[in-house]
């Protein structure tokens, strides 16, 4: 086990570490920066980013993209998928990449459809006194 | 490594790992398959949350207003800092776990034990933080009124232009109504615990101060809760049914009941994962100290439990985004 090979470069080879331990700390720094940017954006909420793009705020798109980037580095470097055989990589990633967006699309589409029905349907759903 | 499997074949197996399929041990493969299925479970929960949110897109509670506590900073409005800190703690404990796995590859028993201990401490701090978060959520801070159609109305001070807690304006009626227990009534029935502040007391306080009004669950175009005028608020409040303080599975002061339900369910399920992860880590830690893996000649168990631990961290990254940020 001692001679196990680690792939030591991240960012498509732009950043290469000398040892595995160094790479782990490097990834931690990167993940911390991304989290800090997320929190800063969440607190400042720049007005420019509050416009909508494809039905979702640009700010929320940024959050989702940053989350996926974080997820990539956690699985690839902390769970060392980077060092696994391509077959194993695909066995893990492909089912999730197919099923989760599928589920997401169906349920979010259905959710907004139900919202529309309740919002401008002919019946009232709210038997308030006025 | 393969204590119970036959590895004396010279044939290449599928998946490109020589004799071992996918070049991974049996336990590690099974851990990966478990993780994939658990990832689907969590995505099911988070997507269900998204569904409910899209269904109530114009009236969903605003996370920044709900989670704004920070330890030792009482009354300071600090949205998200605490959850960000929790996220950082969990990522950091993930890093110590990778370092433990790495030390295991070098068969360095003392370093593995040291990093495992740090990981356990990080996990325990995280679970504790989550318990504190739950406590604040359940206790609530502003209080609200539920009206006949189930809507939650929160109080708002027109003069100060901010929310006001019912504790600040209710007028005590100096009456004590004792909770009805099953040992005193004729029909052996008991009732739920009485609220500390009754509806009447809140309503007297409200009628006494003309600067008070209510906020609806509904959001305006800019994403803020709609504040009613005093007259509209009086009409709305004429059908008030109860005081709501804090949160439970049936109703909560933040708005839609589903919000609290998903909060309890998703963070609870995740917290349970962290808790069991800490237990597994402790078992492995003890085994490391006893020298079990040193005798075995490899630290693969550390790696397998490490995979689970990173997965828990990974799930939290998503919960953080979809519950607190988006």
């Amino acid at each position: 086990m001692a001679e196990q090979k680690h792939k030591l470069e991240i960012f498509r080879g732009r950043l290469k570490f000398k040892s595995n331990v160094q790479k782990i700390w490097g990834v931690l720094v990167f993940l911390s920066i991304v989290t800090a940017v997320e929190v800063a954006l969440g607190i400042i909420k720049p007005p420019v980013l509050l416009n909508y793009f494809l039905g979702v705020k640009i700010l929320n798109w940024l959050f989702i993209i940053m989350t996926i980037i974080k997820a990539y580095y956690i699985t690839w470097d902390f769970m060392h998928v980077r060092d696994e055989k391509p077959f194993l990589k695909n066995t893990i990633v492909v089912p999730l990449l197919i099923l989760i967006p599928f589920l997401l699309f169906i349920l979010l589409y259905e959710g907004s459809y139900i919202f529309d029905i309740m919002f401008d349907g002919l019946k009232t759903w709210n038997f308030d006194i006025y | 490594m393969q204590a119970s499997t036959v590895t004396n074949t010279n044939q290449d197996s599928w998946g490109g790992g020589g004799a071992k399929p996918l070049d991974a041990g049996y336990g590690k493969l099974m851990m990966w398959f478990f993780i994939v299925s658990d990832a689907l479970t969590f995505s099911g929960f988070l997507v269900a949350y998204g569904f409910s949110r899209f269904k109530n897109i114009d009236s969903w509670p605003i996370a920044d207003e709900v989670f704004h506590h920070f330890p030792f900073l009482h009354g300071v409005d600090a949205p998200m800092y605490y959850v960000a800190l929790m996220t950082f703690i969990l990522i950091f404990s993930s890093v110590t776990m990778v370092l433990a796995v790495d030390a295991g590859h070098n068969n360095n028993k003392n370093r593995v034990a040291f990093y495992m201990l740090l990981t356990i401490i990080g996990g325990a701090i995280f679970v504790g933080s989550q318990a504190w978060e739950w406590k604040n959520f359940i206790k609530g801070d502003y209080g609200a009124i539920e009206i006949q159609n189930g809507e939650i109305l929160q109080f708002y001070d027109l003069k100060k232009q901010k929310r006001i807690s019912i504790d600040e304006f209710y007028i005590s009626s100096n009456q004590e109504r004792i909770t009805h227990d099953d040992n005193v009534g004729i029909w052996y029935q008991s009732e739920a615990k009485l609220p500390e502040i009754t509806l009447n007391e809140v309503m007297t306080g409200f009628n006494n101060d003309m600067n008070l009004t209510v906020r609806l669950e509904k959001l305006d175009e800019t994403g803020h809760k709609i504040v009613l005028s005093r007259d509209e608020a009086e009409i709305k409040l004429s059908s008030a049914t109860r005081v709501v303080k804090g949160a439970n599975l049936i109703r909560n002061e933040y708005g839609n009941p589903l919000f609290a339900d998903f909060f309890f369910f998703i963070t609870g399920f995740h917290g349970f994962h962290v808790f069991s992860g800490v237990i597994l880590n402790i078992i492995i830690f003890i085994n490391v100290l006893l020298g079990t893996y040193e005798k075995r000649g490899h630290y693969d168990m550390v790696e397998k439990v490490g995979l689970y631990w990173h997965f828990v961290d990974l799930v939290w990254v998503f919960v953080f985004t979809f519950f607190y940020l988006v």
Side-chain angles (χ1 to χ4, degrees):
Chain A
M1 281 283 124
E3 74 285 357
Q4 191 159 10
K5 281 273 186 294
H6 291 289
K7 290 187 181 132
L8 295 175
E9 63 278 322
I10 61 171
F11 302 141
R12 303 206 149 265
R14 285 194 188 92
L15 190 55
K16 194 164 167 45
F17 294 101
K18 286 190 191 72
S19 70
N20 195 35
V21 175
Q22 224 177 38
K23 185 182 85 168
I24 294 163
W25 288 110
V27 172
L28 170 69
V29 170
F30 177 69
L31 290 178
S32 307
I33 292 171
V34 176
T35 309
V37 171
E38 275 186 335
V39 173
L41 281 178
I43 288 163
I44 302 166
K45 289 201 192 348
V48 197
L49 300 178
L50 295 180
N51 296 317
Y52 284 82
F53 177 71
L54 295 178
V56 176
K57 282 181 194 147
I58 297 173
L59 186 64
N60 290 351
W61 279 118
L62 285 179
F63 286 146
I64 291 164
I65 292 165
M66 281 192 276
T67 304
I68 292 169
I69 291 172
K70 270 159 74 175
Y72 172 82
Y73 282 101
I74 289 173
T75 38
W76 249 243
D77 290 307
F78 288 177
M79 299 166 101
H80 42 80
V81 170
R82 205 188 283 279
D83 303 330
E84 305 291 0
K85 289 268 177 287
F87 206 111
L88 181 53
K89 273 185 199 169
N90 292 331
T91 311
I92 295 159
V93 174
V94 171
L96 299 178
L97 279 188
I98 294 169
L99 291 172
I100 295 174
F102 177 58
L103 190 67
L104 204 66
F105 168 73
I106 291 178
L107 277 173
L108 295 190
Y109 197 81
E110 179 72 8
S112 43
Y113 172 74
I114 295 175
F115 171 78
D116 289 343
I117 292 291
M118 304 218 301
F119 190 73
D120 43 38
L122 290 168
K123 289 188 174 64
T124 183
W125 297 89
N126 184 351
F127 298 97
D128 199 352
I129 49 157
Y130 81 137
Chain B
M1 180 193 295
Q2 259 77 36
S4 56
T5 48
V6 182
T7 48
N8 58 358
T9 166
N10 294 321
Q11 272 181 319
D12 270 5
S13 61
W14 53 279
K20 279 189 290 180
L22 311 179
D23 199 21
Y26 173 78
K28 190 167 136 184
L29 265 188
M30 290 308 119
M31 182 53 91
W32 267 116
F33 291 148
F34 165 70
I35 286 172
V36 169
S37 72
D38 218 22
L40 288 172
T41 310
F42 269 109
S43 53
F45 289 159
L46 283 173
V47 170
Y49 171 81
F51 169 80
S52 305
R53 193 169 165 170
F54 270 58
K55 191 179 144 191
N56 301 290
I57 195 81
D58 62 345
S59 61
W60 200 248
I62 301 165
D64 284 357
E65 289 180 353
V66 180
F67 309 103
H68 60 94
H69 304 271
F70 199 88
F72 310 115
L73 292 179
H74 193 74
V76 178
D77 190 40
M80 279 189 334
Y81 290 103
Y82 188 58
V83 218
L85 181 71
M86 280 165 70
T87 311
F88 186 75
I89 290 168
L90 204 58
I91 291 180
F92 195 79
S93 85
S94 224
V95 165
T96 54
M97 190 80 218
V98 203
L99 292 172
V101 174
D102 189 72
H105 285 154
N106 301 321
N107 286 318
N108 190 333
K109 179 181 156 184
N110 288 334
R111 290 194 81 80
V112 177
F114 173 67
Y115 286 129
M116 285 300 293
L117 185 65
L118 285 185
T119 310
I120 291 165
I121 293 170
I125 294 175
F126 182 84
V127 177
S129 309
Q130 219 168 32
W132 192 76
E133 186 95 339
W134 272 48
K135 185 218 92 188
N136 286 327
F137 188 79
I138 292 169
K139 222 175 106 215
D141 36 19
Y142 288 102
I145 291 280
E146 189 185 291
I147 59 173
Q148 217 162 32
N149 65 9
E151 264 182 88
I152 293 287
L153 304 178
Q154 298 167 333
F155 290 95
Y156 191 83
D157 193 331
L158 284 168
K159 207 153 115 204
K160 290 183 196 148
Q161 291 289 319
K162 60 175 198 178
R163 284 181 71 187
I164 181 166
S165 163
I166 52 171
D167 300 330
E168 289 176 48
F169 68 82
Y170 83 97
I171 291 172
S172 172
S173 58
N174 291 321
Q175 272 181 337
E176 203 183 339
R177 189 83 140 85
I178 298 157
T179 311
H180 177 69
D181 281 326
D182 57 0
N183 58 345
V184 289
I186 300 168
W187 297 105
Y188 303 101
Q189 284 173 333
S190 59
E191 66 181 352
K193 198 169 161 286
L194 287 175
E196 280 161 31
I197 301 170
T198 63
L199 183 59
N200 262 331
E201 290 172 332
V202 174
M203 290 312 294
T204 339
F206 181 81
N207 293 331
N208 201 36
D209 186 350
M210 292 310 279
N211 286 321
L212 298 181
T213 183
V214 295
R215 271 178 10 149
L216 297 179
E217 283 180 40
K218 283 252 181 304
L219 303 162
D220 60 16
E221 298 83 40
T222 53
H224 296 97
K225 300 272 176 195
I226 295 171
V227 178
L228 293 184
S229 70
R230 173 77 192 190
D231 294 341
E232 290 171 317
E234 276 172 9
I235 300 170
K236 271 273 182 196
L237 277 173
S238 61
S239 67
T241 51
R242 65 166 76 226
V243 178
V244 181
K245 188 92 166 77
N248 55 37
L249 287 171
I250 299 161
R251 53 177 66 84
N252 66 75
E253 62 165 66
Y254 313 107
N256 199 316
L258 282 171
F259 178 73
D261 295 349
F262 277 112
F263 176 78
F264 287 130
F265 207 65
I266 296 178
T267 64
F269 199 61
H270 177 263
F272 177 67
H273 273 73
V274 180
F275 176 73
S276 38
V278 170
I279 300 290
L280 288 173
N281 280 343
I282 290 173
I283 294 170
I284 300 298
F285 176 64
I286 292 169
N287 271 331
V288 170
L289 288 185
L290 292 175
T292 313
Y293 307 124
E294 196 160 39
K295 269 180 238 151
R296 202 179 281 175
H298 59 80
Y299 283 81
D300 275 12
M301 276 312 282
V302 179
E303 192 178 333
K304 285 167 208 165
V305 173
L307 284 179
Y308 178 71
W309 190 251
H310 299 313
F311 170 69
V312 167
D313 178 28
L314 183 67
V315 169
W316 181 255
V317 166
F318 281 90
V319 173
F320 174 62
T321 302
F322 293 113
F323 236 96
Y324 298 93
L325 286 176
V326 170

